[in-house]
Amino acid sequence: MNHSLSTIINARLQGREGLYRISIANGRFSDISAQTGFDKAGESDLDAAGNLVAPPFVEPHIHLDAAMTAGEPRWNKSGTLFEGIECWAERKAMLTREDVIERAERTLKLFAGQGIQYVRTHVDVTDPQLTALQAMLEVRERVASTIDLQIVAFPQEGIWSFRNGKELMEESVRMGADVVGGIPHFEFTRDYGVESVRWLMELAHKNDRLVDVHCDEIDDPESRFLEVLAAEALRLDYGSRVTASHTCAMGSYNDAYCSRLFRLLKKSGLRFLSMPTESLHLQGRFDGYPKRRGLTRVPELLDAGLKVAFGQDSIRDPWYPLGNGNMLRTLDVGLHGCHMLGMSWIERSLELVTDNGAAAMDLREYGIAEGMPARCMVLQGQNPYEVLLGQQPVLASVRDGRVLISRQG
Ligand code: 17E
Ligand code: FE2
């Protein structure tokens, strides 16, 4: 299916009562009007049949270069982040352009079938050949008609701790990476970590790039690189363009420190990404019982007015053997892991896989409103509660007025 629409009828919209008719002209939403009852669909209409119509799912944090490599050349037996990095280093040595393109496109196809239209992928640039980055820059163009892909130059083995780490990061930005990454908790020393964060923020600022740092992805309560990232974002007035991914250590910080930290976080306006399935699997691995969840303080950050979104992080890779592209599965696990099954959280939960992900990706044109690109999905359910109960695949995905996919409910 790939035809152009003029109208979506019988649509429910979040936070509004009743049914709506959404008109489309030149690939953009041109009008949104209330209906008095159910209407009959015409030739070039999409009938939402009373289901919720929402902006497309956003996958703000995935590693496409490693997707679909679980078990190659060996399985991660301990289930730790660190053994995952070792397995990946072995697989990385075997990468070819064709291999990366094939797995990335296969994964993005899975995502598109689940209503995802925006993806931010980390790509490991601690590789003297930059094989994965070159391939992913091609993929970004090849998929542009169905998915907006942002590429993060991600130094998996460190900037300070890997030979020519800085040069590889600079070269990646020159080649066209959209976002500058980092991994301070994996650098050899605390000082290296701090210096790497200051340096990468300058690199991004100088080159007008976004920032997304793997930050404190560890249960160590003394891993405090988030405060460095937030202070730099504040100093450069760059908060809305900077994302802190994971921040697992915040789940282990004491409350007194957090109270001080949150003052800075609110001032800086940083974005946050939590990867609940991944962190529940990888964290807590050095605990006996009681065993930590390893998740950041999601409801507390939201209560502080900060933007937090969920991402999948992995699809069948050295860190995580599962994953199917369904953001409702990620949302379900995240709401459980973060004690967010209260009805007021459930009612606003879709923002964690839509609007807040869009904020983290710094998307300028996103949402269902007149004048915006006509991009949306039809979910199965009349409201977020029903959608979450069923966790069914999307009924339709529409991009610039074209129907990318549609299936029967
Ligand atoms: N690399 C990393 O440092 N952390 C992760 N969660 C993944 C890759 C998936
Ligand atoms: Fe990650």
Side-chain angles (χ1 to χ4, degrees):
M1 260 239 214
N2 212 343
H3 67 260
S4 281
L5 294 174
S6 61
T7 323
I8 301 171
I9 61 163
N10 303 325
R12 282 186 214 281
L13 296 169
Q14 271 202 93
R16 301 202 212 179
E17 292 291 316
L19 296 167
Y20 289 83
R21 160 182 291 269
I22 305 169
S23 305
I24 296 168
N26 303 316
R28 289 184 179 259
F29 295 123
S30 55
D31 184 69
I32 300 170
S33 328
Q35 298 175 194
T36 48
F38 276 92
D39 283 347
K40 238 171 101 48
E43 184 71 354
S44 64
D45 292 344
L46 177 69
D47 187 356
N51 288 293
L52 192 61
V53 175
F57 282 130
V58 177
E59 171 45 84
H61 187 126
I62 190 79
H63 294 255
L64 289 178
D65 54 347
M68 312 291 186
T69 65
E72 301 172 9
R74 63 187 171 92
W75 291 93
N76 179 343
K77 294 218 176 73
S78 64
T80 60
L81 168 65
F82 306 98
E83 188 178 341
I85 295 174
E86 286 168 21
C87 295
W88 169 241
E90 291 170 32
R91 183 58 175 81
K92 182 165 53 173
M94 299 151 51
L95 290 179
T96 65
R97 167 185 170 274
E98 293 72 26
D99 165 41
V100 175
I101 291 177
E102 189 278 320
R103 288 182 292 98
E105 292 195 343
R106 183 150 45 101
T107 308
L108 289 171
K109 215 164 169 186
L110 196 67
F111 287 5
Q114 297 284 357
I116 296 171
Q117 290 188 35
Y118 301 92
V119 175
R120 173 181 283 178
T121 182
H122 294 256
V123 177
D124 185 1
V125 299
T126 49
D127 162 17
Q129 265 68 56
L130 295 174
T131 305
L133 178 65
Q134 292 191 36
M136 208 62 72
L137 291 165
E138 277 188 50
V139 170
R140 188 174 64 188
E141 303 310 314
R142 290 162 67 117
V143 302
S145 62
T146 50
I147 282 185
D148 287 14
L149 183 63
Q150 281 183 359
I151 296 176
V152 187
F154 171 53
Q156 178 68 76
E157 296 184 57
I159 303 175
W160 252 246
S161 313
F162 190 79
R163 187 177 297 280
N164 294 328
K166 286 189 231 176
E167 289 74 17
L168 289 165
M169 289 293 289
E170 286 167 340
E171 178 61 13
S172 302
V173 168
R174 262 195 302 276
M175 283 168 63
D178 307 284
V179 189
V180 174
I183 187 162
H185 56 274
F186 191 71
E187 301 282 359
F188 291 142
T189 71
R190 192 185 58 85
D191 286 351
Y192 282 13
V194 171
E195 284 175 45
S196 75
V197 170
R198 294 212 179 105
W199 182 85
L200 72 87
M201 283 293 292
E202 287 293 340
L203 177 66
H205 192 246
K206 223 168 40 202
N207 290 283
D208 190 26
R209 300 303 153 100
L210 304 170
V211 175
D212 191 335
V213 174
H214 279 64
C215 196
D216 305 313
E217 188 187 7
I218 188 165
D219 288 321
D220 177 7
E222 299 190 358
S223 187
R224 294 182 170 186
F225 298 105
L226 175 58
E227 64 180 21
V228 181
L229 185 66
E232 288 301 288
L234 180 61
R235 184 175 71 79
L236 296 167
D237 193 19
Y238 220 52
S240 66
R241 308 191 75 196
V242 177
T243 298
S245 279
H246 298 292
T247 63
C248 304
M250 203 197 289
S252 295
Y253 292 162
N254 66 66
D255 286 348
Y257 173 66
C258 261
S259 135
R260 185 193 104 182
L261 176 65
F262 268 57
R263 177 173 160 267
L264 168 62
L265 298 181
K266 280 190 270 190
K267 274 180 185 289
S268 74
L270 216 65
R271 303 339 194 173
F272 289 85
L273 296 176
S274 173
M275 277 47 78
T277 48
E278 187 94 4
S279 292
L280 283 168
H281 170 62
L282 294 177
Q283 303 303 315
R285 291 285 176 168
F286 303 95
D287 289 354
Y289 288 93
K291 205 183 278 291
R292 282 170 285 187
R293 283 170 154 84
L295 297 177
T296 196
R297 300 190 180 202
V298 175
E300 291 80 3
L301 288 165
L302 288 167
D303 279 339
L306 291 156
K307 303 278 187 195
V308 189
F310 288 145
Q312 301 176 83
D313 207 5
S314 287
I315 297 282
R316 310 168 205 171
D317 72 11
W319 294 274
Y320 184 78
L322 305 179
N324 60 12
N326 184 346
M327 295 305 289
L328 295 173
R329 168 182 178 267
T330 306
L331 179 60
D332 175 287
V333 172
L335 295 177
H336 281 83
C338 298
H339 279 167
M340 290 175 70
L341 291 175
M343 194 46 66
S344 59
W345 286 122
I346 288 178
E347 280 168 356
R348 64 179 278 199
S349 62
L350 288 175
E351 76 182 58
L352 286 151
V353 284
T354 57
D355 299 292
N356 294 358
M361 286 183 67
D362 199 28
L363 302 178
R364 300 292 160 86
E365 291 197 305
Y366 179 87
I368 299 179
E370 285 166 26
M372 287 288 185
R375 297 182 176 187
C376 62
M377 57 183 174
V378 182
L379 293 161
Q380 296 202 44
Q382 295 191 10
N383 53 52
Y385 188 27
E386 284 187 13
V387 170
L388 199 59
L389 281 170
Q391 288 174 44
Q392 295 300 307
V394 297
L395 289 170
S397 179
V398 174
R399 188 167 167 95
D400 303 331
R402 281 180 305 128
V403 180
L404 292 182
I405 52 164
S406 81
R407 49 170 80 86
Q408 299 295 318

